[in-house]
PDB file of all heavy atoms in Angstrom:
ATOM      1  N   ALA A   1       1.362  28.299 -12.505  1.00  0.00           N
ATOM      2  CA  ALA A   1       1.943  27.031 -12.062  1.00  0.00           C
ATOM      3  C   ALA A   1       1.384  26.627 -10.703  1.00  0.00           C
ATOM      4  O   ALA A   1       1.054  25.456 -10.466  1.00  0.00           O
ATOM      5  CB  ALA A   1       3.471  27.159 -11.981  1.00  0.00           C
ATOM      6  N   ILE A   2       1.234  27.595  -9.808  1.00  0.00           N
ATOM      7  CA  ILE A   2       0.662  27.315  -8.489  1.00  0.00           C
ATOM      8  C   ILE A   2      -0.783  26.849  -8.635  1.00  0.00           C
ATOM      9  O   ILE A   2      -1.223  25.893  -7.993  1.00  0.00           O
ATOM     10  CB  ILE A   2       0.749  28.566  -7.596  1.00  0.00           C
ATOM     11  CG1 ILE A   2       2.211  28.878  -7.267  1.00  0.00           C
ATOM     12  CG2 ILE A   2      -0.063  28.376  -6.310  1.00  0.00           C
ATOM     13  CD1 ILE A   2       2.437  30.239  -6.645  1.00  0.00           C
ATOM     14  N   GLY A   3      -1.530  27.514  -9.505  1.00  0.00           N
ATOM     15  CA  GLY A   3      -2.916  27.119  -9.751  1.00  0.00           C
ATOM     16  C   GLY A   3      -3.016  25.723 -10.335  1.00  0.00           C
ATOM     17  O   GLY A   3      -3.908  24.944  -9.962  1.00  0.00           O
ATOM     18  N   LEU A   4      -2.102  25.389 -11.238  1.00  0.00           N
ATOM     19  CA  LEU A   4      -2.075  24.039 -11.818  1.00  0.00           C
ATOM     20  C   LEU A   4      -1.833  22.992 -10.734  1.00  0.00           C
ATOM     21  O   LEU A   4      -2.512  21.960 -10.687  1.00  0.00           O
ATOM     22  CB  LEU A   4      -0.977  23.963 -12.878  1.00  0.00           C
ATOM     23  CG  LEU A   4      -0.721  22.577 -13.492  1.00  0.00           C
ATOM     24  CD1 LEU A   4      -1.956  22.077 -14.230  1.00  0.00           C
ATOM     25  CD2 LEU A   4       0.480  22.635 -14.435  1.00  0.00           C
ATOM     26  N   LEU A   5      -0.887  23.280  -9.848  1.00  0.00           N
ATOM     27  CA  LEU A   5      -0.583  22.339  -8.762  1.00  0.00           C
ATOM     28  C   LEU A   5      -1.787  22.159  -7.839  1.00  0.00           C
ATOM     29  O   LEU A   5      -2.108  21.035  -7.442  1.00  0.00           O
ATOM     30  CB  LEU A   5       0.617  22.850  -7.963  1.00  0.00           C
ATOM     31  CG  LEU A   5       1.977  22.735  -8.648  1.00  0.00           C
ATOM     32  CD1 LEU A   5       3.035  23.519  -7.879  1.00  0.00           C
ATOM     33  CD2 LEU A   5       2.397  21.277  -8.783  1.00  0.00           C
ATOM     34  N   VAL A   6      -2.449  23.260  -7.496  1.00  0.00           N
ATOM     35  CA  VAL A   6      -3.614  23.157  -6.611  1.00  0.00           C
ATOM     36  C   VAL A   6      -4.764  22.443  -7.323  1.00  0.00           C
ATOM     37  O   VAL A   6      -5.540  21.717  -6.694  1.00  0.00           O
ATOM     38  CB  VAL A   6      -4.043  24.545  -6.105  1.00  0.00           C
ATOM     39  CG1 VAL A   6      -5.347  24.476  -5.324  1.00  0.00           C
ATOM     40  CG2 VAL A   6      -2.948  25.137  -5.220  1.00  0.00           C
ATOM     41  N   GLY A   7      -4.865  22.617  -8.642  1.00  0.00           N
ATOM     42  CA  GLY A   7      -5.872  21.875  -9.390  1.00  0.00           C
ATOM     43  C   GLY A   7      -5.629  20.378  -9.333  1.00  0.00           C
ATOM     44  O   GLY A   7      -6.557  19.589  -9.083  1.00  0.00           O
ATOM     45  N   VAL A   8      -4.374  19.972  -9.517  1.00  0.00           N
ATOM     46  CA  VAL A   8      -4.027  18.549  -9.408  1.00  0.00           C
ATOM     47  C   VAL A   8      -4.260  18.058  -7.988  1.00  0.00           C
ATOM     48  O   VAL A   8      -4.780  16.954  -7.758  1.00  0.00           O
ATOM     49  CB  VAL A   8      -2.556  18.332  -9.825  1.00  0.00           C
ATOM     50  CG1 VAL A   8      -2.126  16.891  -9.557  1.00  0.00           C
ATOM     51  CG2 VAL A   8      -2.371  18.673 -11.301  1.00  0.00           C
ATOM     52  N   GLN A   9      -3.868  18.888  -6.993  1.00  0.00           N
ATOM     53  CA  GLN A   9      -4.085  18.524  -5.590  1.00  0.00           C
ATOM     54  C   GLN A   9      -5.564  18.300  -5.291  1.00  0.00           C
ATOM     55  O   GLN A   9      -5.928  17.348  -4.597  1.00  0.00           O
ATOM     56  CB  GLN A   9      -3.533  19.629  -4.688  1.00  0.00           C
ATOM     57  CG  GLN A   9      -3.850  19.448  -3.214  1.00  0.00           C
ATOM     58  CD  GLN A   9      -4.939  20.398  -2.732  1.00  0.00           C
ATOM     59  OE1 GLN A   9      -4.951  21.567  -3.088  1.00  0.00           O
ATOM     60  NE2 GLN A   9      -5.846  19.900  -1.923  1.00  0.00           N
ATOM     61  N   SER A  10      -6.422  19.161  -5.814  1.00  0.00           N
ATOM     62  CA  SER A  10      -7.859  19.033  -5.578  1.00  0.00           C
ATOM     63  C   SER A  10      -8.397  17.729  -6.145  1.00  0.00           C
ATOM     64  O   SER A  10      -9.167  17.020  -5.485  1.00  0.00           O
ATOM     65  CB  SER A  10      -8.596  20.229  -6.199  1.00  0.00           C
ATOM     66  OG  SER A  10      -8.195  21.449  -5.609  1.00  0.00           O
ATOM     67  N   LEU A  11      -7.990  17.410  -7.364  1.00  0.00           N
ATOM     68  CA  LEU A  11      -8.436  16.165  -7.993  1.00  0.00           C
ATOM     69  C   LEU A  11      -7.940  14.952  -7.204  1.00  0.00           C
ATOM     70  O   LEU A  11      -8.682  13.994  -6.979  1.00  0.00           O
ATOM     71  CB  LEU A  11      -7.931  16.101  -9.432  1.00  0.00           C
ATOM     72  CG  LEU A  11      -8.563  17.083 -10.428  1.00  0.00           C
ATOM     73  CD1 LEU A  11      -7.787  17.069 -11.738  1.00  0.00           C
ATOM     74  CD2 LEU A  11     -10.029  16.738 -10.675  1.00  0.00           C
ATOM     75  N   CYS A  12      -6.677  15.002  -6.776  1.00  0.00           N
ATOM     76  CA  CYS A  12      -6.115  13.861  -6.043  1.00  0.00           C
ATOM     77  C   CYS A  12      -6.767  13.697  -4.672  1.00  0.00           C
ATOM     78  O   CYS A  12      -7.068  12.573  -4.257  1.00  0.00           O
ATOM     79  CB  CYS A  12      -4.605  14.045  -5.886  1.00  0.00           C
ATOM     80  SG  CYS A  12      -3.660  13.817  -7.408  1.00  0.00           S
ATOM     81  N   LEU A  13      -6.989  14.813  -3.962  1.00  0.00           N
ATOM     82  CA  LEU A  13      -7.562  14.708  -2.628  1.00  0.00           C
ATOM     83  C   LEU A  13      -8.991  14.184  -2.673  1.00  0.00           C
ATOM     84  O   LEU A  13      -9.375  13.316  -1.882  1.00  0.00           O
ATOM     85  CB  LEU A  13      -7.516  16.062  -1.924  1.00  0.00           C
ATOM     86  CG  LEU A  13      -8.034  16.073  -0.477  1.00  0.00           C
ATOM     87  CD1 LEU A  13      -7.333  15.028   0.372  1.00  0.00           C
ATOM     88  CD2 LEU A  13      -7.867  17.457   0.133  1.00  0.00           C
ATOM     89  N   TYR A  14      -9.799  14.693  -3.610  1.00  0.00           N
ATOM     90  CA  TYR A  14     -11.163  14.186  -3.736  1.00  0.00           C
ATOM     91  C   TYR A  14     -11.155  12.726  -4.187  1.00  0.00           C
ATOM     92  O   TYR A  14     -12.036  11.949  -3.808  1.00  0.00           O
ATOM     93  CB  TYR A  14     -11.968  15.044  -4.705  1.00  0.00           C
ATOM     94  CG  TYR A  14     -12.660  16.227  -4.058  1.00  0.00           C
ATOM     95  CD1 TYR A  14     -13.420  17.110  -4.821  1.00  0.00           C
ATOM     96  CD2 TYR A  14     -12.574  16.466  -2.694  1.00  0.00           C
ATOM     97  CE1 TYR A  14     -14.066  18.192  -4.240  1.00  0.00           C
ATOM     98  CE2 TYR A  14     -13.215  17.539  -2.107  1.00  0.00           C
ATOM     99  CZ  TYR A  14     -13.956  18.408  -2.888  1.00  0.00           C
ATOM    100  OH  TYR A  14     -14.596  19.472  -2.309  1.00  0.00           O
ATOM    101  N   SER A  15     -10.169  12.341  -4.992  1.00  0.00           N
ATOM    102  CA  SER A  15     -10.054  10.935  -5.393  1.00  0.00           C
ATOM    103  C   SER A  15      -9.760  10.059  -4.182  1.00  0.00           C
ATOM    104  O   SER A  15     -10.250   8.929  -4.080  1.00  0.00           O
ATOM    105  CB  SER A  15      -8.947  10.772  -6.441  1.00  0.00           C
ATOM    106  OG  SER A  15      -9.286  11.442  -7.642  1.00  0.00           O
ATOM    107  N   ALA A  16      -8.951  10.581  -3.248  1.00  0.00           N
ATOM    108  CA  ALA A  16      -8.683   9.848  -2.005  1.00  0.00           C
ATOM    109  C   ALA A  16      -9.934   9.760  -1.146  1.00  0.00           C
ATOM    110  O   ALA A  16     -10.248   8.702  -0.581  1.00  0.00           O
ATOM    111  CB  ALA A  16      -7.559  10.531  -1.231  1.00  0.00           C
ATOM    112  N   VAL A  17     -10.675  10.866  -1.051  1.00  0.00           N
ATOM    113  CA  VAL A  17     -11.913  10.892  -0.264  1.00  0.00           C
ATOM    114  C   VAL A  17     -12.927   9.894  -0.821  1.00  0.00           C
ATOM    115  O   VAL A  17     -13.696   9.292  -0.064  1.00  0.00           O
ATOM    116  CB  VAL A  17     -12.505  12.319  -0.255  1.00  0.00           C
ATOM    117  CG1 VAL A  17     -13.937  12.329   0.266  1.00  0.00           C
ATOM    118  CG2 VAL A  17     -11.627  13.238   0.596  1.00  0.00           C
ATOM    119  N   ALA A  18     -12.921   9.709  -2.140  1.00  0.00           N
ATOM    120  CA  ALA A  18     -13.858   8.779  -2.762  1.00  0.00           C
ATOM    121  C   ALA A  18     -13.511   7.323  -2.458  1.00  0.00           C
ATOM    122  O   ALA A  18     -14.364   6.443  -2.592  1.00  0.00           O
ATOM    123  CB  ALA A  18     -13.877   8.990  -4.280  1.00  0.00           C
ATOM    124  N   ARG A  19     -12.261   7.062  -2.015  1.00  0.00           N
ATOM    125  CA  ARG A  19     -11.801   5.686  -1.838  1.00  0.00           C
ATOM    126  C   ARG A  19     -11.538   5.285  -0.390  1.00  0.00           C
ATOM    127  O   ARG A  19     -11.486   4.085  -0.089  1.00  0.00           O
ATOM    128  CB  ARG A  19     -10.510   5.468  -2.648  1.00  0.00           C
ATOM    129  CG  ARG A  19     -10.733   5.504  -4.160  1.00  0.00           C
ATOM    130  CD  ARG A  19      -9.413   5.622  -4.909  1.00  0.00           C
ATOM    131  NE  ARG A  19      -9.598   5.424  -6.346  1.00  0.00           N
ATOM    132  CZ  ARG A  19     -10.044   6.381  -7.166  1.00  0.00           C
ATOM    133  NH1 ARG A  19     -10.353   7.590  -6.689  1.00  0.00           N
ATOM    134  NH2 ARG A  19     -10.197   6.131  -8.457  1.00  0.00           N
ATOM    135  N   LEU A  20     -11.326   6.261   0.484  1.00  0.00           N
ATOM    136  CA  LEU A  20     -10.976   5.987   1.875  1.00  0.00           C
ATOM    137  C   LEU A  20     -12.012   6.592   2.809  1.00  0.00           C
ATOM    138  O   LEU A  20     -12.755   7.491   2.413  1.00  0.00           O
ATOM    139  CB  LEU A  20      -9.618   6.623   2.212  1.00  0.00           C
ATOM    140  CG  LEU A  20      -8.365   6.105   1.530  1.00  0.00           C
ATOM    141  CD1 LEU A  20      -7.184   7.006   1.885  1.00  0.00           C
ATOM    142  CD2 LEU A  20      -8.078   4.675   1.942  1.00  0.00           C
ATOM    143  N   PRO A  21     -12.065   6.139   4.066  1.00  0.00           N
ATOM    144  CA  PRO A  21     -12.797   6.922   5.052  1.00  0.00           C
ATOM    145  C   PRO A  21     -12.271   8.352   5.026  1.00  0.00           C
ATOM    146  O   PRO A  21     -11.059   8.581   4.935  1.00  0.00           O
ATOM    147  CB  PRO A  21     -12.456   6.210   6.369  1.00  0.00           C
ATOM    148  CG  PRO A  21     -12.208   4.798   5.964  1.00  0.00           C
ATOM    149  CD  PRO A  21     -11.524   4.891   4.631  1.00  0.00           C
ATOM    150  N   VAL A  22     -13.171   9.325   5.081  1.00  0.00           N
ATOM    151  CA  VAL A  22     -12.794  10.716   4.857  1.00  0.00           C
ATOM    152  C   VAL A  22     -11.661  11.154   5.777  1.00  0.00           C
ATOM    153  O   VAL A  22     -10.703  11.803   5.346  1.00  0.00           O
ATOM    154  CB  VAL A  22     -14.022  11.635   5.042  1.00  0.00           C
ATOM    155  CG1 VAL A  22     -13.621  13.100   4.878  1.00  0.00           C
ATOM    156  CG2 VAL A  22     -15.109  11.261   4.040  1.00  0.00           C
ATOM    157  N   ALA A  23     -11.755  10.798   7.055  1.00  0.00           N
ATOM    158  CA  ALA A  23     -10.732  11.234   8.010  1.00  0.00           C
ATOM    159  C   ALA A  23      -9.351  10.696   7.638  1.00  0.00           C
ATOM    160  O   ALA A  23      -8.349  11.407   7.763  1.00  0.00           O
ATOM    161  CB  ALA A  23     -11.113  10.787   9.420  1.00  0.00           C
ATOM    162  N   LEU A  24      -9.278   9.453   7.175  1.00  0.00           N
ATOM    163  CA  LEU A  24      -7.997   8.874   6.814  1.00  0.00           C
ATOM    164  C   LEU A  24      -7.413   9.546   5.572  1.00  0.00           C
ATOM    165  O   LEU A  24      -6.196   9.744   5.482  1.00  0.00           O
ATOM    166  CB  LEU A  24      -8.131   7.371   6.590  1.00  0.00           C
ATOM    167  CG  LEU A  24      -8.547   6.543   7.805  1.00  0.00           C
ATOM    168  CD1 LEU A  24      -8.505   5.057   7.473  1.00  0.00           C
ATOM    169  CD2 LEU A  24      -7.652   6.844   9.006  1.00  0.00           C
ATOM    170  N   ALA A  25      -8.256   9.896   4.620  1.00  0.00           N
ATOM    171  CA  ALA A  25      -7.785  10.609   3.443  1.00  0.00           C
ATOM    172  C   ALA A  25      -7.174  11.949   3.851  1.00  0.00           C
ATOM    173  O   ALA A  25      -6.100  12.343   3.370  1.00  0.00           O
ATOM    174  CB  ALA A  25      -8.938  10.831   2.462  1.00  0.00           C
ATOM    175  N   LEU A  26      -7.845  12.667   4.751  1.00  0.00           N
ATOM    176  CA  LEU A  26      -7.342  13.965   5.190  1.00  0.00           C
ATOM    177  C   LEU A  26      -6.086  13.820   6.039  1.00  0.00           C
ATOM    178  O   LEU A  26      -5.199  14.677   5.991  1.00  0.00           O
ATOM    179  CB  LEU A  26      -8.423  14.714   5.963  1.00  0.00           C
ATOM    180  CG  LEU A  26      -9.663  15.105   5.143  1.00  0.00           C
ATOM    181  CD1 LEU A  26     -10.668  15.850   6.010  1.00  0.00           C
ATOM    182  CD2 LEU A  26      -9.281  15.951   3.936  1.00  0.00           C
ATOM    183  N   LEU A  27      -5.998  12.758   6.815  1.00  0.00           N
ATOM    184  CA  LEU A  27      -4.783  12.534   7.603  1.00  0.00           C
ATOM    185  C   LEU A  27      -3.576  12.295   6.696  1.00  0.00           C
ATOM    186  O   LEU A  27      -2.492  12.835   6.933  1.00  0.00           O
ATOM    187  CB  LEU A  27      -4.977  11.339   8.534  1.00  0.00           C
ATOM    188  CG  LEU A  27      -5.727  11.607   9.828  1.00  0.00           C
ATOM    189  CD1 LEU A  27      -6.012  10.298  10.528  1.00  0.00           C
ATOM    190  CD2 LEU A  27      -4.929  12.533  10.733  1.00  0.00           C
ATOM    191  N   ALA A  28      -3.743  11.453   5.686  1.00  0.00           N
ATOM    192  CA  ALA A  28      -2.643  11.218   4.752  1.00  0.00           C
ATOM    193  C   ALA A  28      -2.266  12.514   4.044  1.00  0.00           C
ATOM    194  O   ALA A  28      -1.080  12.794   3.819  1.00  0.00           O
ATOM    195  CB  ALA A  28      -3.032  10.144   3.737  1.00  0.00           C
ATOM    196  N   PHE A  29      -3.260  13.325   3.724  1.00  0.00           N
ATOM    197  CA  PHE A  29      -2.985  14.629   3.106  1.00  0.00           C
ATOM    198  C   PHE A  29      -2.252  15.550   4.074  1.00  0.00           C
ATOM    199  O   PHE A  29      -1.453  16.393   3.660  1.00  0.00           O
ATOM    200  CB  PHE A  29      -4.294  15.276   2.658  1.00  0.00           C
ATOM    201  CG  PHE A  29      -4.120  16.685   2.171  1.00  0.00           C
ATOM    202  CD1 PHE A  29      -3.477  16.950   0.972  1.00  0.00           C
ATOM    203  CD2 PHE A  29      -4.582  17.753   2.920  1.00  0.00           C
ATOM    204  CE1 PHE A  29      -3.298  18.255   0.524  1.00  0.00           C
ATOM    205  CE2 PHE A  29      -4.418  19.055   2.490  1.00  0.00           C
ATOM    206  CZ  PHE A  29      -3.777  19.306   1.278  1.00  0.00           C
ATOM    207  N   ASN A  30      -2.480  15.377   5.365  1.00  0.00           N
ATOM    208  CA  ASN A  30      -1.862  16.239   6.363  1.00  0.00           C
ATOM    209  C   ASN A  30      -0.356  16.017   6.518  1.00  0.00           C
ATOM    210  O   ASN A  30       0.279  16.653   7.362  1.00  0.00           O
ATOM    211  CB  ASN A  30      -2.544  16.052   7.728  1.00  0.00           C
ATOM    212  CG  ASN A  30      -3.383  17.261   8.116  1.00  0.00           C
ATOM    213  OD1 ASN A  30      -3.889  17.964   7.242  1.00  0.00           O
ATOM    214  ND2 ASN A  30      -3.526  17.509   9.394  1.00  0.00           N
ATOM    215  N   THR A  31       0.211  15.148   5.692  1.00  0.00           N
ATOM    216  CA  THR A  31       1.671  15.028   5.631  1.00  0.00           C
ATOM    217  C   THR A  31       2.288  16.139   4.794  1.00  0.00           C
ATOM    218  O   THR A  31       3.515  16.161   4.612  1.00  0.00           O
ATOM    219  CB  THR A  31       2.094  13.672   5.048  1.00  0.00           C
ATOM    220  OG1 THR A  31       1.563  13.539   3.716  1.00  0.00           O
ATOM    221  CG2 THR A  31       1.586  12.515   5.897  1.00  0.00           C
ATOM    222  N   TYR A  32       1.477  17.070   4.306  1.00  0.00           N
ATOM    223  CA  TYR A  32       2.026  18.102   3.411  1.00  0.00           C
ATOM    224  C   TYR A  32       3.144  18.947   4.050  1.00  0.00           C
ATOM    225  O   TYR A  32       4.016  19.435   3.318  1.00  0.00           O
ATOM    226  CB  TYR A  32       0.917  18.999   2.849  1.00  0.00           C
ATOM    227  CG  TYR A  32       0.268  19.937   3.825  1.00  0.00           C
ATOM    228  CD1 TYR A  32       0.848  21.149   4.156  1.00  0.00           C
ATOM    229  CD2 TYR A  32      -0.961  19.633   4.417  1.00  0.00           C
ATOM    230  CE1 TYR A  32       0.247  22.020   5.051  1.00  0.00           C
ATOM    231  CE2 TYR A  32      -1.569  20.488   5.309  1.00  0.00           C
ATOM    232  CZ  TYR A  32      -0.965  21.683   5.620  1.00  0.00           C
ATOM    233  OH  TYR A  32      -1.555  22.534   6.503  1.00  0.00           O
ATOM    234  N   PRO A  33       3.190  19.155   5.394  1.00  0.00           N
ATOM    235  CA  PRO A  33       4.356  19.885   5.926  1.00  0.00           C
ATOM    236  C   PRO A  33       5.683  19.177   5.635  1.00  0.00           C
ATOM    237  O   PRO A  33       6.707  19.827   5.420  1.00  0.00           O
ATOM    238  CB  PRO A  33       4.077  19.945   7.432  1.00  0.00           C
ATOM    239  CG  PRO A  33       2.595  19.867   7.552  1.00  0.00           C
ATOM    240  CD  PRO A  33       2.189  18.912   6.459  1.00  0.00           C
TER     241      PRO A  33
END
């Protein structure tokens, strides 16, 4: 289940990187805490 979640996370994060300036994609991802 953890692996499935990280797989979805990887697809979503790279999808964000493909659409936004890289730094902004990572900043939005940095809300994970």
Side-chain angles (χ1 to χ4, degrees):
I2 292 168
L4 174 62
L5 287 169
V6 173
V8 173
Q9 173 255 318
S10 298
L11 290 170
C12 288
L13 183 54
Y14 272 179
S15 294
V17 167
R19 292 166 170 80
L20 294 173
V22 177
L24 297 186
L26 295 180
L27 279 172
F29 173 70
N30 251 29
T31 60
Y32 71 82

